[in-house]
Amino acid sequence: MNGVVVLVVGIAILVVAYLTYGKWLAKQWGIDPSRETPSHTEEDGVDYVPAKAPVLMGHHFSSIAGAGPINGPIQAAVFGWVPVLLWVLIGGIFFGAVHDFGALFASIRHKGQSIGEVIADTMGSKAKKLFIIFSYLTLILVVAAFGSIVANTFMATYTESGAVDYAASAANATTAMISILFILIAIAFGFLVYRRNAGLGVSTIVGVVAIIICMVVGMNWHPIYLSNTAWMVIVGIYILAASVAPVWILLQPRDYLSSFLLYFMMIVAVVGIIGCGLTGGAHMDIPAFTGFKDTVAPTGTSLGYMFPALFVTIACGAISGFHSLVGSGTTAKQLNSEKDAQPIAYGGMLIECALAIISLCAVGYIWANYASGETVTPTVVFATGISKMLSSIPGLAGTEKIAYTLLVLTVSVFCLTSLDTATRLARYMFQEFWLEPGETYKDVTGYKKVLTNPFVATLITVVLGIGLGITGYANIWPLFGAANQLLAALGLLAVATWLGKAGRNNKMFYIPMAFMLIVTITSLCFTLKSNVLGIMAGAEGVTWCWVRAVIAVLLVVLAVVLAIDGIKTMMNQKKNA
């Protein structure tokens, strides 16, 4: 199969879906551009700040994307290109985009508060607290993982004598330097646009030029060489400050500017795939279907059976619970008008689907190297495949090394973006847990006033997340895929019950919600089985087998309890109607 055909047909389907199904959803739910959004009614200059649609799209897309739509499709390619493509298209259009759009819409009708508050409105306080506890712990794991990834991307390597190996550390030091310069550019951009009222168009051009300059500077001057632990501490201090700072000074401008790197990466990839295809390349050597069980296992560890592995492995790019937290967390508090909800939430998810299809084409181009285990790290697979396709185009033969470096750098930048957003989202969740519907941290007294203070809530989150990242989050990371998809199922459930209460059409949520619950529970049962077998066999790390087994059981119980509550709520709504 030629990658150009897969790419062009896939993008065409996504565009048609946006123009038809996306618009139909907006009409069914009652999107009202004349209605004031929380960014105006609750504006506080810190978290609630109206943002221009392109700026907010940059923040939202940068936050939900990261490396997810690259990693998942590449890892799941072991089942063949047809299952991956079908899940990305069907899942993205009818599951993920509906989930993201619904979560954002429900949140803006609840003062920009999280899905937890939406659940409280329809299913009660107990369900809200269960959801928030689960979401908060999931976000702590995200902070730990992304903090560790960023630190690993920045850290120096050392020789056996303990001295810094400058040659081996140069690439990491370059990434660190560019990331630091990027933050400074974002602050300057935010100040000019929001405090000096500079035009967005001119500021964007200046910002993009500044990004290019900082990349050139970082590649040629990178004097900072620090250990992993030192970078973890620095990253912790950064996210502590960034997550309590007003969104206009860092989060909005940094995510907006960083989105241009992602757009650039996607444009380069599309040019590479189409250009290579038109010159006789861009072939996809992946079999259309390899079987219902992963027998390729390029990393040495099989993903197991296609159901549920395919639907847990490809989260971003099809449907991801993390998106509902972003949409109902930071995005809802900045949405300027309800008319922006469809392009930002539904459209943003479909752009992620396009990136997932590009990733599939990339792994297809170097399938022999991937299947043999020679090149298996998803970011490396993506950068290698795209850069090789690009360099095969006549006249671009010498671009492979430069393209590879820029692609890897771009993916690394988004880990820091997602880390910042995840920390702020966790702070929101922690605060909402202690508050009653309609309350803010300014309304409470006593210990609640202390715990819901933005700085205190963020400090607790950072200490837990960075502490877990330093001490070994990898032992429970295998549960993240199922936990994230359970979060998606619960997000679908929350929006469905809220729409039912509001008298709106919620039938489009039934199949996605039921399917994701079945996928999640099945995956957790497989995890439980493997860890019980590990305990019985006295495998190495038996303590962590117990921990993972207990967490798996708790997640299954959580899923069942909230599903029962949700189904009862919707049945009562139908009866009352």
Side-chain angles (χ1 to χ4, degrees):
M1 174 57 72
N2 192 297
V4 176
V5 176
V6 172
L7 178 66
V8 172
V9 172
I11 291 178
I13 291 172
L14 294 174
V15 170
V16 171
Y18 177 82
L19 296 174
T20 56
Y21 194 54
K23 286 190 175 181
W24 179 78
L25 291 174
K27 185 176 180 180
Q28 290 291 303
W29 297 343
I31 293 291
D32 183 5
S34 66
R35 184 179 181 131
E36 276 197 307
T37 58
S39 69
H40 295 283
T41 59
E42 311 293 323
E43 186 172 2
D44 61 5
V46 179
D47 296 319
Y48 290 86
V49 177
K52 294 179 175 67
V55 175
L56 188 56
M57 171 61 97
H59 156 69
H60 184 79
F61 187 43
S62 299
S63 298
I64 66 172
I70 293 174
N71 291 359
I74 289 174
Q75 292 170 335
V78 294
F79 296 112
W81 68 265
V82 170
V84 172
L85 183 62
L86 288 177
W87 174 232
V88 167
L89 292 176
I90 296 172
I93 293 168
F94 298 104
F95 288 55
V98 174
H99 165 269
D100 294 12
F101 191 9
L104 176 59
F105 180 57
S107 178
I108 59 178
R109 292 297 177 91
H110 283 79
K111 297 184 179 181
Q113 294 176 310
S114 76
I115 290 295
E117 291 298 331
V118 177
I119 288 177
D121 184 30
T122 56
M123 295 166 59
S125 180
K126 181 191 77 173
K128 166 198 167 180
K129 290 189 181 299
L130 285 174
F131 178 83
I132 287 182
I133 290 171
F134 168 60
S135 301
Y136 183 75
L137 294 177
T138 302
L139 287 169
I140 291 296
L141 186 55
V142 171
V143 172
F146 278 71
S148 182
I149 290 170
V150 169
N152 285 333
T153 306
F154 290 176
M155 73 176 187
T157 55
Y158 297 85
T159 64
E160 292 182 0
S161 63
V164 174
D165 187 335
Y166 290 99
S169 304
N172 284 9
T174 295
T175 303
M177 193 64 198
I178 292 174
S179 298
I180 293 170
L181 293 174
F182 196 91
I183 291 169
L184 298 177
I185 291 171
I187 293 172
F189 182 90
F191 182 78
L192 288 173
V193 171
Y194 287 97
R195 288 297 178 268
R196 288 291 179 266
N197 298 315
L200 182 60
V202 175
S203 299
T204 299
I205 295 172
V206 173
V208 171
V209 172
I211 291 173
I212 296 172
I213 293 173
C214 84
M215 292 177 74
V216 173
V217 171
M219 288 180 178
N220 293 279
W221 182 65
H222 36 263
I224 305 174
Y225 294 83
L226 301 173
S227 67
N228 179 278
T229 302
W231 275 119
M232 284 292 282
V233 173
I234 292 171
V235 166
I237 294 170
Y238 163 73
I239 60 176
L240 175 62
S243 299
V244 295
V247 292
W248 62 265
I249 192 64
L250 182 57
L251 183 132
Q252 277 186 7
R254 189 211 53 221
D255 291 358
Y256 173 63
L257 291 175
S258 65
S259 68
F260 283 95
L261 287 175
L262 189 51
Y263 301 147
F264 167 77
M265 178 179 74
M266 293 181 67
I267 291 170
V268 167
V270 169
V271 170
I273 295 168
I274 294 178
C276 183
L278 294 177
T279 56
H283 50 83
M284 291 177 61
D285 293 332
I286 313 174
F289 179 61
T290 62
F292 289 100
K293 187 175 182 180
D294 171 18
T295 56
V296 180
T299 63
T301 303
S302 172
L303 291 180
Y305 293 97
M306 188 172 72
F307 184 88
L310 175 71
F311 309 101
V312 173
T313 303
I314 303 178
C316 292
I319 179 171
S320 169
F322 180 67
H323 295 191
S324 68
L325 302 185
V326 175
S328 68
T330 51
T331 304
K333 294 176 176 62
Q334 302 171 66
L335 192 74
N336 185 52
S337 170
E338 285 195 5
K339 68 180 174 61
D340 298 334
Q342 184 194 341
I344 289 172
Y346 196 89
M349 181 65 232
L350 296 190
I351 297 175
E352 251 205 10
C353 295
L355 181 54
I357 295 172
I358 290 171
S359 301
L360 179 62
C361 295
V363 69
Y365 191 72
I366 61 165
W367 176 250
N369 291 348
Y370 182 69
S372 66
E374 181 181 340
T375 307
V376 295
T377 303
T379 303
V380 176
V381 171
F382 179 83
T384 301
I386 298 300
S387 60
K388 283 185 177 297
M389 281 190 276
L390 194 68
S391 64
S392 71
I393 300 173
L396 298 178
T399 61
E400 182 176 344
K401 186 176 180 181
I402 296 174
Y404 176 90
T405 301
L406 292 176
L407 289 167
V408 171
L409 176 64
T410 301
V411 175
S412 298
V413 166
F414 286 96
C415 290
L416 189 59
T417 299
S418 297
L419 173 63
D420 184 347
T421 300
T423 307
R424 188 178 285 263
L425 293 173
R427 188 252 287 182
Y428 293 157
M429 288 288 180
F430 188 87
Q431 289 176 295
E432 287 181 11
F433 179 82
W434 305 101
L435 301 173
E436 297 300 322
E439 281 187 334
T440 69
Y441 73 93
K442 297 176 182 178
D443 301 323
V444 293
T445 58
Y447 73 93
K448 287 187 177 182
K449 189 172 187 65
V450 176
L451 291 174
T452 58
N453 178 276
F455 182 82
V456 173
T458 306
L459 180 62
I460 292 171
T461 299
V462 170
V463 169
L464 291 175
I466 297 299
L468 180 61
I470 292 174
T471 56
Y473 75 94
N475 290 305
I476 55 176
W477 183 251
L479 286 163
F480 176 76
N484 183 51
Q485 298 305 67
L486 173 56
L487 192 59
L490 298 180
L492 290 165
L493 175 66
V495 180
T497 55
W498 174 72
L499 286 170
K501 180 180 179 180
R504 305 283 184 179
N505 184 1
N506 65 355
K507 292 182 178 63
M508 67 287 293
F509 286 88
Y510 292 174
I511 292 176
M513 178 176 63
F515 183 79
M516 295 312 298
L517 280 171
I518 293 169
V519 164
T520 300
I521 292 174
T522 304
S523 177
L524 289 169
C525 287
F526 275 122
T527 299
L528 178 61
K529 177 184 175 182
S530 65
N531 281 280
V532 168
L533 291 175
I535 292 169
M536 293 173 64
E540 185 179 351
V542 68
T543 301
W544 285 110
C545 286
W546 275 106
V547 172
R548 288 189 291 268
V550 170
I551 293 175
V553 170
L554 291 175
L555 290 178
V556 170
V557 171
L558 173 71
V560 171
V561 168
L562 289 178
I564 292 173
D565 283 352
I567 292 169
K568 284 181 177 178
T569 300
M570 286 188 283
M571 289 177 67
N572 288 334
Q573 289 170 349
K574 283 192 173 183
K575 185 185 294 184
N576 293 334

